[in-house]
Amino acid sequence: MLRNVLIMVVVLSFFNCKEKKNQVLTTLSAEDIIKKAIEVAGGNLFDHSQIDFDFRDIHYTAIRDNGKFQLQRHFKDSLSQIKDVLSNTGFERFSNGEKVQLADSTASKYSNSVNSVHYFSVLPYGLDGKAVHKEDLGITDIKGKAYHKIKVTFSEDGGGEDFEDEYIYWIGKDSFTMDYLAYSFKENDGSQGFRFRQAYNERLISRLRFADYDNYKPETSNIKFADMDELFNANKLQLLSKIELKNIEVKALN
């Protein structure tokens, strides 16, 4: 009898510990989930790196070191070699090595374009910034896999020109890889636009995770942004384009 009681105590203790463990796993905050996703993608290795890649026949270079950054874009127009540089001190354009004077509105447009490519190239890195606000939308299922669904918005101060855009990131419940993302934005005509991206060709280069993406749009704009994953599961999104980073090179900075 005593032996049976002891066995029952051990069994109950085991399930109690397992239940507590599961509670810990399911009560991670949105901040914790994003931090874990950044860690899985390479973490602070991004903070001291030079990353070069080509995107749609344009060359990009990102230099990050101890909080200082330079986000560059290099291409050739019909007349000259152009170099755009977005850094801690602002935006500059150079033509054949000579600085070009730009109207504020033009500089803002170019700066936003450069920043956008670099921003998406290293996601989820950067989502732990001070201007980033995160909301846990719970656990959801995409194509048979469980994901943390995290909504992200930005403060006006430090959130960039498009701070009003909204994002959702799907982080693997067990893997903590960012396999899907969606964002809402204003079209040129003022209407609401939506995009949904599915990661593929995921690879580690010098211990940093990179991915390409299938870029989808909904069949109609009359949708709820939070339902993008459901539309994808129901095959109600149209493939718009592919986002492919080529010739990626990573150099660690000491």
Side-chain angles (χ1 to χ4, degrees), residues 40-42 45-46 49-54 60 62 64 117-125 177-179 199-213 243-251:
V40 167
L45 294 177
F46 284 102
S49 66
Q50 176 176 322
I51 302 173
D52 287 89
F53 62 90
D54 296 324
Y60 292 83
R64 301 178 178 90
V117 173
H118 282 286
Y119 169 83
F120 282 110
S121 72
V122 292
L123 283 171
Y125 176 78
T177 57
M178 190 195 77
D179 296 342
Y200 70 94
N201 190 25
E202 300 164 61
R203 62 270 198 204
L204 285 176
I205 301 176
S206 297
R207 297 162 60 194
L208 300 184
R209 179 182 180 271
F210 297 91
D212 298 326
Y213 294 90
I243 310 297
E244 297 179 330
L245 305 183
K246 299 180 178 180
N247 305 316
I248 300 173
E249 294 183 2
V250 176
K251 178 182 178 182

Side-chain angles (χ1 to χ4, degrees), residues 213-235:
Y213 294 90
D214 284 329
N215 189 33
Y216 294 88
K217 69 175 183 177
E219 296 174 348
T220 173
S221 60
N222 187 27
I223 65 164
K224 292 182 179 179
F225 177 51
D227 293 341
M228 292 289 279
D229 49 352
E230 296 179 16
L231 294 173
F232 181 73
N233 279 332
N235 297 315

Side-chain angles (χ1 to χ4, degrees), residues 47-114:
D47 294 332
H48 310 280
S49 66
Q50 176 176 322
I51 302 173
D52 287 89
F53 62 90
D54 296 324
F55 175 61
R56 294 178 177 168
D57 299 321
I58 296 177
H59 186 73
Y60 292 83
T61 300
I63 301 171
R64 301 178 178 90
D65 194 22
N66 290 317
K68 295 181 179 180
F69 67 89
Q70 269 199 21
L71 307 180
Q72 303 176 9
R73 175 173 65 182
H74 305 258
F75 64 97
K76 189 174 183 178
D77 65 10
S78 59
L79 299 175
S80 58
Q81 191 70 36
I82 302 297
K83 177 182 177 181
D84 291 332
V85 180
L86 175 61
S87 69
N88 302 75
T89 58
F91 178 82
E92 295 177 304
R93 166 165 285 199
F94 300 88
S95 176
N96 290 333
E98 297 291 329
K99 185 175 179 179
V100 178
Q101 297 298 321
L102 300 170
D104 289 346
S105 58
T106 303
S108 178
K109 181 177 69 174
Y110 292 161
S111 173
N112 190 51
S113 177
V114 170

Side-chain angles (χ1 to χ4, degrees), residues 130-150:
K130 293 180 180 179
V132 184
H133 305 288
K134 310 165 195 70
E135 178 185 355
D136 187 357
L137 300 182
I139 300 294
T140 189
D141 181 279
I142 299 182
K143 303 298 183 182
K145 182 177 176 180
Y147 288 92
H148 296 285
K149 185 175 181 179
I150 308 296

Side-chain angles (χ1 to χ4, degrees), residues 25-42:
L25 291 175
T26 56
T27 55
L28 289 172
S29 69
E31 188 76 32
D32 292 333
I33 294 166
I34 291 297
K35 284 183 177 180
K36 181 64 175 177
I38 293 173
E39 179 185 335
V40 167

